[in-house]
């Protein structure tokens, strides 16, 4: 029973479970069950990636996340496993799915698949103490009560009490301290997401996601800097919109295609970020919870994933934020877009890392240019002013999983911005079309899983937000002509602790500190605190 409790944890991996299987004595009654059936583990044939059971469990893990032991939260099903290892993974899925069944989250065809697996590995599951009768009892119930046998409704609601604090608002590098105070009123905000997940063939997914929110960003209007923004912010005055619509399907055994009609960024497209504390509803509180290279672009597009569970894999993505506009200079190929290619290297369950290149093109047609999506200083967002800008982005990200409970992670990136329109059109800028600017950023962090409580996550992040380190364009400041660069260095320090109240409610207090905001040592330190409550159903 101790093993079953361990394997039910979110951080359980197959390898971790195997350690306990090999080191735990089988109770007398369980030994009696196996007597006369199995005399040696060697009599059990291994489970290979070509077996039906392998692909069946893979599909359950991908859809319901019932094995999350690897730091990038995927089940790397490309290795041969013993039946004991496989049964440990299946048992972890059973524990998770028992809860999801009661919440009406499971598709009937997936239940049928799970029942077949449970019967095939009945002997091994008996050793682990798993009970599978409950699954069969629920099939008839679901057939009578599901509003559809192909679609499940998932919901996520955030309530957040937040505030930004500091002496004075930040100003750009090279300027004296502002005389404007930080807008430090405490706010109570929300974000609501409802997702309809539909599968027609068991391996495909059609997702429609509705969103409403009223979380005003702690950006330049509040603190003078976008470095203080929260990862779940955004204000639509609680207007309900479709903010995600895609169809994902496999193409053979190694390739997955995703077609996007609406998407808000590359992280929604299956591209691993190698950060176990991704920004959003449940993990890091800031926008800097993963590398800014993944925040390029949005809109309609295409994503291709190759061998996602293998030692070597790859992702290719293309998003066009003006892809729904047929006007001149817009559309899928003539307007704003971002393209990304990533090589994924996952040699084992301890070390995973990615090498990433992205290319972006952004114009002020739909608002202000926001190079690297407002994760750094104001100067990094618009190196040449609010004009069309091309970007070449290079990044590396890695995670080291020291144990099922501790991960070290980090990322670093370099971007080069290129002016596509002449900055001469901006009053205080001097330069020419084709001018270039260089940006650099990095971060390291620690993640602690199940700290003090099962299902909890504590995170710590330290790094340098994107900084403009070289720029060919100059600007006039106080009658002086100077390079438009960040002179000093900002530092980002973030800590949070997520703990579950129930299976569906989690509370995350978090604190963010920005030293020398806007890469200007003349600015006072800025602070952001939040208590985020997440409801999932």
């Amino acid at each position: 029973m101790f093993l079953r409790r361990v394997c039910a944890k979110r951080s359980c991996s197959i390898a971790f479970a195997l350690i306990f299987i090999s080191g735990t004595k089988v109770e007398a009654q369980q030994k009696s069950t196996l007597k006369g059936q199995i005399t040696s583990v060697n009599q059990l044939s291994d489970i290979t990636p070509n077996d039906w059971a392998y692909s069946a469990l893979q599909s359950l893990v991908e859809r319901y996340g019932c094995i999350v032991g690897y730091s990038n939260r995927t089940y790397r099903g490309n290795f041969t496993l013993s039946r004991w290892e496989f049964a440990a993974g299946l048992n972890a899925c059973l524990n998770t799915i028992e809860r999801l069944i009661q919440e009406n989250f499971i598709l009937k065809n997936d239940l049928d698949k799970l029942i077949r697996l449970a019967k095939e590995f009945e002997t091994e599951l008996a050793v682990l103490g798993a009970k599978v009768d409950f699954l069969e009892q629920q099939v008839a119930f679901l057939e009578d009560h599901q509003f559809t046998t192909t679609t499940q409704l998932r919901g996520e609601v955030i309530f957040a009490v937040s505030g930004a604090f500091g002496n004075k608002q930040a100003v750009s590098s090279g300027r004296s301290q502002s005389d404007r105070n930080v807008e430090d009123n405490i706010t109570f905000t929300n974000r609501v997401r409802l997702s309809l997940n539909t599968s027609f063939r068991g391996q495909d997914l059609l997702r429609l996601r509705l969103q409403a929110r009223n979380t005003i960003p702690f950006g330049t209007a509040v603190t003078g800097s976008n470095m203080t923004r929260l990862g779940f912010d955004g204000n639509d005055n609680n207007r309900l919109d479709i903010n995600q619509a895609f169809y994902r399907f496999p193409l053979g055994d190694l390739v997955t295609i995703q077609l996007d009609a609406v998407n808000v960024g590359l992280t929604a497209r299956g591209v691993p970020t190698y950060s176990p504390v991704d920004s959003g509803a449940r993990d890091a509180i800031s926008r800097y919870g993963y590398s800014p290279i993944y925040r390029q672009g949005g809109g309609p597009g295409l994503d291709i994933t190759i061998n996602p569970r293998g030692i070597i894999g790859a992702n290719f993505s293309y998003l066009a934020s003006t892809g729904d506009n047929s006007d001149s200079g817009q559309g899928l190929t003539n307007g704003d877009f971002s393209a990304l290619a990533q090589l994924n290297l996952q040699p084992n369950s301890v070390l995973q890392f990615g090498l990433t290149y992205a290319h972006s093109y952004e114009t002020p047609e739909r608002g202000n240019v926001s190079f690297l999506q407002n994760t750094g200083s104001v100067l990094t967002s618009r190196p040449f002013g609010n004009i069309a800008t091309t970007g070449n982005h290079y990044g590396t990200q890695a995670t080291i999983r020291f144990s099922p409970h501790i991960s070290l992670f980090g990322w670093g990136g370099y971007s080069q911005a290129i002016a596509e329109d002449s900055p001469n059109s901006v009053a205080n800028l001097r330069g020419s079309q084709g001018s270039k600017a260089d940006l650099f950023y990095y971060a390291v962090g620690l993640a602690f899983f199940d700290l003090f409580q099962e299902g909890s996550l504590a995170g710590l992040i330290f790094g340098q937000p994107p900084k403009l380190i070289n720029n060919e364009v100059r600007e006039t400041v106080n009658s002086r002509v100077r390079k438009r660069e960040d002179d000093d260095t900002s530092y980002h320090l973030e800590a949070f602790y997520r703990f579950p109240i129930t299976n569906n409610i989690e509370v995350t207090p978090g604190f963010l500190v920005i030293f020398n905001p806007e890469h200007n040592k003349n600015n006072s330190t800025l602070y952001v605190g939040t208590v985020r409550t997440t409801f999932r159903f």
Side-chain angles (χ1 to χ4, degrees):
M1 296 303 292
F2 174 71
L3 170 62
R4 188 182 181 190
R5 184 171 66 252
V6 172
C7 287
K9 291 183 179 181
R10 300 178 190 272
S11 60
C12 173
S13 66
I14 290 177
F16 180 54
L18 181 59
I19 294 175
F20 283 88
I21 293 172
S22 61
T24 304
K25 292 184 178 180
V26 181
E27 296 177 359
Q29 182 178 359
Q30 293 170 333
K31 286 182 177 179
S32 176
T33 302
L34 294 177
K35 187 176 181 180
Q37 300 178 16
I38 301 172
T39 59
S40 171
V41 174
N42 294 331
Q43 290 179 265
L44 300 173
S45 60
D46 289 341
I47 310 301
T48 70
N50 296 324
D51 293 333
W52 71 268
Y54 228 113
S55 60
L57 184 58
Q58 283 178 5
S59 66
L60 293 172
V61 170
E62 291 168 0
R63 182 166 294 122
Y64 303 110
C66 52
I67 299 176
V68 292
Y70 296 107
S71 57
N72 63 347
R73 306 181 186 186
T74 61
Y75 172 58
R76 293 164 55 247
N78 63 320
F79 301 109
T80 298
L81 300 175
S82 73
R83 289 179 67 92
W84 292 113
E85 290 177 290
F86 188 87
L90 177 57
N91 184 50
C93 256
L94 285 171
N95 287 322
T96 298
I97 289 179
E98 279 186 14
R99 173 179 57 82
L100 296 179
I101 286 175
Q102 300 177 39
E103 300 166 5
N104 199 24
F105 281 173
I106 306 299
L107 299 177
K108 180 182 179 300
N109 57 348
D110 287 334
L111 266 182
D112 295 338
K113 188 183 301 181
L114 194 61
I115 289 173
R116 184 184 176 193
L117 283 168
K119 289 181 177 178
E120 174 72 19
F121 294 87
E122 183 176 3
T123 301
E124 292 80 13
L125 290 172
V127 175
L128 298 176
K131 298 178 181 180
V132 297
D133 294 341
F134 176 76
L135 296 175
E136 293 180 326
Q137 297 172 5
Q138 294 299 314
V139 173
F141 176 84
L142 288 178
E143 288 178 339
D144 294 336
H145 293 80
Q146 279 188 326
F147 72 95
T148 171
T149 59
T150 60
T151 302
Q152 55 179 311
L153 174 66
R154 305 293 296 269
E156 176 189 272
V157 178
I158 294 175
F159 287 171
V161 177
S162 311
F165 310 95
N167 184 17
K168 298 294 182 179
Q169 290 191 11
V171 294
S172 295
S173 188
R175 290 172 167 83
S176 301
Q177 188 178 45
S178 170
D179 58 357
R180 299 178 59 186
N181 294 326
V182 173
E183 301 294 338
D184 56 3
N185 289 319
I186 303 297
T187 62
F188 179 37
T189 61
N190 72 82
R191 189 185 76 181
V192 179
R193 286 178 172 177
L194 298 175
S195 298
L196 293 171
N197 298 329
T198 302
S199 180
F200 302 102
R201 299 179 298 166
Q203 302 295 323
D204 60 341
L205 174 64
L206 173 64
R207 174 173 293 168
L208 300 176
R209 189 173 74 187
L210 303 174
Q211 176 175 273
R213 56 186 180 173
N214 71 342
T215 305
I216 296 177
F218 292 152
T220 54
V222 176
T223 66
S225 175
N226 288 316
M227 297 178 182
T228 49
R229 289 186 57 178
L230 295 169
F232 53 90
D233 68 16
N235 182 29
D236 303 318
N237 294 316
N238 276 328
R239 182 184 68 250
L240 192 63
D241 294 317
I242 296 178
N243 86 316
Q244 193 177 91
F246 68 76
Y247 180 60
R248 179 188 300 157
F249 59 93
L251 192 63
D253 295 331
L254 298 178
V255 179
T256 300
I257 305 295
Q258 182 170 309
L259 302 175
D260 286 88
V262 181
N263 214 324
V264 294
L266 289 168
T267 56
R269 304 168 65 82
V271 182
T273 65
Y274 298 99
S275 170
V277 298
D278 281 0
S279 300
R282 304 184 61 213
D283 301 330
I285 64 167
S286 76
R287 285 174 64 83
Y288 203 48
Y290 55 85
S291 175
I293 199 169
Y294 299 112
R295 290 193 178 275
Q296 304 300 314
L302 170 70
D303 174 73
I304 301 174
T305 303
I306 300 176
N307 197 26
R309 293 172 296 276
I311 294 177
I312 300 178
N315 289 89
F316 302 94
S317 294
Y318 180 88
L319 291 171
S321 59
T322 59
D324 57 353
N325 190 339
S326 62
D327 292 345
S328 177
Q330 307 295 313
L332 285 172
T333 58
N334 293 321
D336 295 14
F337 75 92
S338 65
L340 177 143
Q342 177 164 295
L343 178 66
N344 302 307
L345 302 172
Q346 305 174 93
N348 50 53
S349 60
V350 176
L351 174 65
Q352 296 97 37
F353 62 96
L355 302 174
T356 311
Y357 169 74
H359 183 75
S360 63
Y361 174 69
E362 190 174 3
T363 68
E365 296 293 332
R366 293 194 172 187
N368 291 331
V369 170
S370 56
F371 201 72
L372 292 180
Q373 293 297 301
N374 294 322
T375 52
S377 66
V378 171
L379 293 182
T380 63
S381 297
R382 289 176 289 280
F384 318 112
N386 196 32
I387 65 171
T389 304
T390 293
N392 292 305
H393 312 273
Y394 308 87
T396 181
Q397 302 75 230
T399 298
I400 302 175
R401 191 74 178 258
F402 293 114
S403 75
H405 299 287
I406 302 177
S407 285
L408 173 68
F409 61 93
W411 60 83
Y414 161 79
S415 296
Q416 183 179 73
I418 304 171
E420 296 297 337
D421 291 339
S422 174
N424 286 319
S425 60
V426 183
N428 67 332
L429 297 185
R430 301 181 181 183
S432 61
Q433 186 171 352
S435 294
K436 298 178 181 179
D438 300 318
L439 301 87
F440 175 71
Y441 56 88
Y442 70 87
V444 294
L446 283 170
F448 302 91
F449 301 91
D450 300 319
L451 183 66
F452 305 127
Q453 183 178 357
E454 183 178 328
S456 67
L457 172 64
L460 184 67
I461 302 173
F462 176 81
Q464 174 202 288
K467 175 181 177 179
L468 189 57
I469 58 177
N470 183 51
N471 195 349
E472 295 177 357
V473 167
R474 298 175 181 271
E475 66 178 336
T476 301
V477 180
N478 297 327
S479 300
R480 294 187 301 110
V481 178
R482 61 183 289 274
K483 278 194 173 183
R484 187 179 170 87
E485 299 173 358
D486 289 319
D487 296 330
D488 305 312
T489 301
S490 299
Y491 295 104
H492 172 114
L493 179 62
E494 175 180 356
F496 68 92
Y497 179 66
R498 183 192 76 207
F499 60 93
I501 303 300
T502 69
N503 288 334
N504 303 94
I505 304 174
E506 297 169 328
V507 177
T508 308
F511 196 65
L512 170 65
V513 184
I514 304 295
F515 302 96
N516 304 325
E518 291 298 297
H519 301 293
N520 185 352
K521 65 183 180 181
N522 295 323
N523 291 325
S524 58
T525 302
L526 296 175
Y527 308 89
V528 176
T530 186
V531 178
R532 179 186 63 201
T533 302
T534 305
F535 306 85
R536 294 180 298 127
F537 55 90

